[in-house]
Amino acid sequence: MRKALGKGLDALLNGGMNESYEAGGENASGVQKIPLDKIIPNRYQPRKTFNEESLQGLAESLKQHGLTQPIVVVYDPGMDKYELVVGERRFRASQLAGFTEIDCIIHSKLDDKQMCALALIENIQREDLNPIETALGYKSLMQKFMISQTELGEYCGKSKAAVSNSLRLLNLEPEIQEAIKNGDISEGHGRALLMVSDEKKREVLFKKIISSKMSVRQAEEAAKNTMDETVKQKPQKTPDTLAFESSLQEALGTKVELKYGSKPSKGKLILHYNSLEELEQISQRLKNKML
């Protein structure tokens, strides 16, 4: 049974917009045959790539067994066309099979948000999307319907951690995202690369993963080694520096940090404060020291 949703998505999917779609829903007609040339793709389809070999296999199956499940469309009177809502693979395969018409459930009341949500959810639940398309689908749903990762995960049958890990892939550089989309590296490789915060070092590791054909485990070990090297390269504070910080903290009554720059002669002196009152106190102490 479907668990509770965020109010926006819950309201969207109630009233014939969820599982009842397969039977037509309260706002849908019965099954009708529609000419394929009267149907246009869903403008909100999150899936950008379709495996031609898989589609050809489905087309051969349709030739032998016919369409066992109708697609769902909505009529657009302005264009005098039917726009796809659910079933784009079946639609494309029917075209490849040489069919001239297809069984459809025609829905009469769908707005743009509903079109977007249904296309995304169908693909996410059936795992038809590549990892980047899935992440973009999650992001779009969360933004459009103001729902949390937990709520979205519950509806799509995913854990919050799975949704979160998916969304983190969008923090990777476009080149790496493209490699995941194309299947050159896996989602697991992407998560390993996210362990490396430095963009240049991440790019170096990414190229090593490709050239060496690393497994995910090997990529994770390489990422850990890169992180360890980064920590080792950070300059360590000398006893004199620590003593300087301590004396200044005592004088100003707040946390003080001395950070090295590229050279020992350059850096930053950082004074911390937790309230405007504390900032005013630090300011007064500094002024008193200068007078």
Side-chain angles (χ1 to χ4, degrees):
M1 179 165 302
R2 182 166 55 90
K3 298 182 179 180
L5 302 173
K7 290 182 179 178
L9 193 55
D10 196 23
L12 172 73
L13 296 171
N14 278 334
M17 291 297 295
N18 45 41
E19 291 85 351
S20 64
Y21 241 114
E22 301 303 335
E26 64 184 41
N27 294 321
S29 69
V31 177
Q32 298 182 33
K33 289 190 178 294
I34 303 293
L36 284 170
D37 59 10
K38 292 281 288 183
I39 301 171
I40 58 176
N42 186 332
R43 77 198 95 157
Y44 300 111
Q45 169 63 250
R47 190 177 186 185
K48 304 305 178 186
T49 56
F50 290 83
N51 185 291
E52 291 300 323
E53 185 177 346
S54 175
L55 281 178
Q56 193 61 54
L58 180 56
E60 291 301 320
S61 175
L62 292 179
K63 288 179 183 178
Q64 293 182 37
H65 308 291
L67 187 69
T68 58
Q69 185 179 24
I71 65 173
V72 180
V73 297
V74 62
Y75 180 63
D76 186 327
M79 294 189 293
D80 190 27
K81 295 280 186 179
Y82 295 88
E83 186 170 1
L84 260 173
V85 180
V86 173
E88 185 149 351
R89 286 187 74 251
R90 280 166 279 160
F91 169 68
R92 289 173 179 251
S94 295
Q95 291 177 314
L96 286 175
F99 294 172
T100 58
E101 57 185 15
I102 188 171
D103 289 341
C104 299
I105 294 171
I106 305 172
H107 206 284
S108 59
K109 296 180 180 179
L110 291 179
D111 59 26
D112 288 350
K113 286 185 177 180
Q114 291 170 329
M115 293 278 290
C116 174
L118 286 167
L120 288 170
I121 291 168
E122 182 208 19
N123 281 285
I124 289 170
Q125 288 182 325
R126 296 187 181 186
E127 299 183 347
D128 282 343
L129 305 178
N130 66 55
I132 299 302
E133 288 173 335
T134 297
L136 290 170
Y138 286 149
K139 182 179 179 181
S140 179
L141 277 172
M142 291 175 65
Q143 289 178 341
K144 286 180 181 294
F145 305 110
M146 304 295 288
I147 58 175
S148 68
Q149 293 180 15
T150 300
E151 290 170 328
L152 181 56
E154 285 177 349
Y155 183 78
C156 295
K158 306 289 182 181
S159 67
K160 180 182 181 297
V163 174
S164 178
N165 285 334
S166 179
L167 289 167
R168 288 178 64 236
L169 295 175
L170 300 180
N171 294 327
L172 292 167
E173 289 70 30
E175 180 185 9
I176 300 177
Q177 290 190 36
E178 194 65 27
I180 295 174
K181 285 167 63 176
N182 295 336
D184 298 327
I185 62 174
S186 70
E187 182 177 353
H189 289 108
R191 288 199 296 269
L193 286 165
L194 284 167
M195 295 167 61
V196 181
S197 57
D198 185 280
E199 290 185 12
K200 290 183 179 179
K201 291 182 179 179
R202 188 158 61 211
E203 182 180 359
V204 170
L205 178 56
F206 166 62
K207 290 179 178 177
K208 283 183 180 179
I209 290 173
I210 295 289
S211 62
S212 303
K213 297 182 179 179
M214 289 185 184
S215 67
V216 172
R217 185 177 292 276
Q218 290 172 329
E220 289 172 345
E221 286 299 318
K224 288 177 183 176
N225 292 336
T226 301
M227 291 165 62
D228 291 341
E229 289 173 6
T230 301
V231 171
K232 290 176 183 177
Q233 290 171 2
K234 287 185 178 180
Q236 300 299 311
K237 293 180 179 179
T238 64
D240 288 342
T241 299
L242 293 172
F244 173 79
E245 286 181 340
S246 179
S247 62
L248 202 54
Q249 285 176 180
E250 185 176 347
L252 297 176
T254 189
K255 182 180 177 181
V256 174
E257 285 185 276
L258 183 62
K259 290 196 172 182
Y260 297 119
S262 56
K263 298 179 180 179
S265 59
K266 294 183 178 181
K268 295 179 181 179
L269 182 62
I270 303 174
L271 306 179
H272 292 253
Y273 63 92
N274 298 310
S275 66
L276 293 177
E277 290 76 15
E278 190 174 345
L279 177 60
E280 180 62 27
Q281 291 172 3
I282 295 171
S283 176
Q284 288 299 324
R285 289 191 184 104
L286 285 171
K287 289 176 183 177
N288 292 338
K289 295 291 182 182
M290 289 187 290
L291 292 176

